[in-house]
Amino acid sequence: MFLYLGPGLGGGVLAVITGIFLTFVAFLAAIFWIPLKRFFGFMKSKFHKE
């Protein structure tokens, strides 16, 4: 069985891979970076008040 994969398929595959990668990075940022940033900001303001 022969299947023609046109040149437009490469762009679609690249878009899907990029979308999955960016979703994973955004997930990690939401889980780890944002709470850590909030925590360090809280600690910084706590030490500067005293």
Side-chain angles (χ1 to χ4, degrees), residues 39-50:
F39 175 72
F40 287 130
F42 172 74
M43 294 302 284
K44 185 177 177 183
S45 67
K46 185 177 178 181
F47 284 123
H48 283 296
K49 285 182 180 178
E50 294 176 0

Side-chain angles (χ1 to χ4, degrees), residues 4-45:
Y4 174 70
L5 302 176
L9 185 69
V13 169
L14 187 64
V16 168
I17 291 172
T18 304
I20 291 171
F21 177 73
L22 289 177
T23 302
F24 183 70
V25 170
F27 171 75
L28 289 178
I31 296 298
F32 293 111
W33 176 248
I34 295 172
L36 281 175
K37 186 177 174 183
R38 229 181 253 166
F39 175 72
F40 287 130
F42 172 74
M43 294 302 284
K44 185 177 177 183
S45 67

